[in-house]
Amino acid sequence: MTEAKEKKTLTQKELNKTWWDWICWGQICYNWERLMGLGFCHTMTTAIQKLYGDNEAEKRAALTRHMEYYNTENTWGAIVPGIVCSLEEERANSGDVDADAIRNLKTALMGPLAGIGDTVTQSLVKVILLGVGIDMAKNGNPLGPILFVVLFSVYAIGVSRFLFFRGYKLGKESVVKLLSGGMVKRVTESLGVVGMAVLGALVAKNIGVVTPLDFHIGEMEIVMQDLLDSIIPKLIPLVIFLIVYRQLKKGKKPTTVMVYMMIASVILSLLGILA
């Protein structure tokens, strides 16, 4: 009787190395042909060597399929190499997982996860932390940039590690579980509320534009700034922010908008309308 084939299982150390390679090197050597393909392939080398090290044909095939075009957001996208490790492990042991299934799974997931990651990481978390860090630095606190680097690193490392190992544990069912129940939507909406609150505070605190205009009606003096504050505090900074935001949304270059703002500020200041 022949001995049963020894089952190949990725150890915790090997999984840790794969996850760390994804965080550090997943976005290396971006190019127009494959984008993150080389980074993804490099990420999978530890798992491929462990699972197919004694089978040169399978090892070459695995390296080839993971060198193909790939692109997603690095933090939330960490769930994909976790899933792929699980599927490659199953393929190496049973052969039940088709190579095309792994390839198609990567292709199907990279777009939606990029959308989620870009929304949460780039548009919410990074903006909030940058706003706090810049405000501290502007006020002379040297901890501003340090705080940004530390907090963003904690976020990126924590989220990516959780998703990578969740992906490995749950395999191809992980994304269904992740997206079910509206969890991502609730997190995104919550962070959006926090982001808007932080943005509003930054606008009110850092855009120090007021109007010195006042009018006399008989013996009564009307101070325009007090009148505007009674309607909406910091109304002028809000209007300026919305005008700039509108111009950028219309495709105006930031440098062009800055030039317009400088010209307008000089003219309105000389006319005594703004100060």
Side-chain angles (χ1 to χ4, degrees):
M1 296 179 63
T2 58
E3 294 183 0
K5 183 179 178 180
E6 181 181 358
K7 184 177 181 180
K8 298 178 179 179
T9 303
L10 295 172
T11 64
Q12 183 69 30
K13 181 179 180 180
E14 291 161 344
L15 289 171
N16 282 330
K17 186 177 187 307
T18 301
W19 162 72
W20 191 246
D21 284 344
W22 170 255
I23 288 297
C24 294
W25 315 114
Q27 300 185 83
I28 62 170
C29 297
Y30 258 103
N31 59 83
W32 290 112
E33 182 184 5
R34 305 174 192 273
L35 288 184
M36 294 176 70
L38 180 60
F40 197 101
C41 183
H42 175 75
T43 297
M44 294 303 300
T45 52
T46 299
I48 290 173
Q49 180 61 35
K50 171 65 175 292
L51 299 173
Y52 305 116
D54 56 352
N55 189 327
E56 287 297 322
E58 283 289 345
K59 184 161 66 172
R60 286 195 298 269
L63 290 172
T64 299
R65 66 174 164 266
H66 293 308
M67 183 70 80
E68 296 174 354
Y69 176 94
Y70 188 78
N71 191 41
T72 194
E73 193 271 332
N74 195 249
T75 303
W76 284 71
I79 193 171
V80 178
I83 296 172
V84 170
C85 282
S86 177
L87 297 181
E88 291 286 6
E89 189 177 86
E90 186 176 347
R91 173 177 170 79
N93 286 300
S94 66
D96 293 337
V97 178
D98 185 75
D100 287 336
I102 299 176
R103 184 181 295 110
N104 293 338
L105 182 72
K106 288 173 55 183
T107 303
L109 295 181
M110 66 180 184
L113 288 171
I116 295 171
D118 287 342
T119 299
V120 176
T121 302
Q122 306 300 332
S123 301
L124 295 175
V125 175
K126 183 173 287 187
V127 170
I128 293 171
L129 295 181
L130 272 174
V132 174
I134 290 173
D135 187 62
M136 292 176 64
K138 182 180 177 182
N139 293 322
N141 191 334
L143 293 179
I146 298 174
L147 183 67
F148 167 73
V149 172
V150 171
L151 291 182
F152 188 77
S153 298
V154 169
Y155 162 80
I157 291 173
V159 171
S160 63
R161 181 176 175 82
F162 170 79
L163 291 175
F164 176 86
F165 282 96
R166 180 61 61 179
Y168 174 75
K169 181 178 180 180
L170 299 177
K172 60 186 177 182
E173 298 178 359
S174 58
V175 174
V176 176
K177 293 181 180 293
L178 175 68
L179 299 179
S180 63
M183 182 183 70
V184 171
K185 182 179 179 181
R186 292 195 297 271
V187 171
T188 302
E189 290 177 347
S190 299
L191 289 174
V193 172
V194 176
M196 292 301 294
V198 171
L199 181 60
L202 291 175
V203 169
K205 185 174 181 179
N206 294 303
I207 303 180
V209 181
V210 296
T211 177
L213 292 175
D214 59 357
F215 301 96
H216 290 83
I217 301 177
E219 296 182 356
M220 182 175 63
E221 180 183 11
I222 300 177
V223 180
M224 284 300 300
Q225 186 61 51
D226 293 342
L227 178 62
L228 293 176
D229 287 341
S230 67
I231 299 172
I232 298 178
K234 301 292 184 178
L235 179 59
I236 294 178
L238 175 61
V239 171
I240 293 173
F241 168 78
L242 293 176
I243 291 174
V244 173
Y245 178 76
R246 176 65 176 172
Q247 294 303 309
L248 294 175
K249 288 289 287 184
K250 290 171 64 175
K252 296 287 186 180
K253 294 182 179 179
T255 51
T256 302
V257 176
M258 290 175 65
V259 171
Y260 288 160
M261 289 176 62
M262 291 177 62
I263 295 173
S265 63
V266 171
I267 294 174
L268 295 174
S269 177
L270 291 175
L271 293 175
I273 298 175
L274 295 180

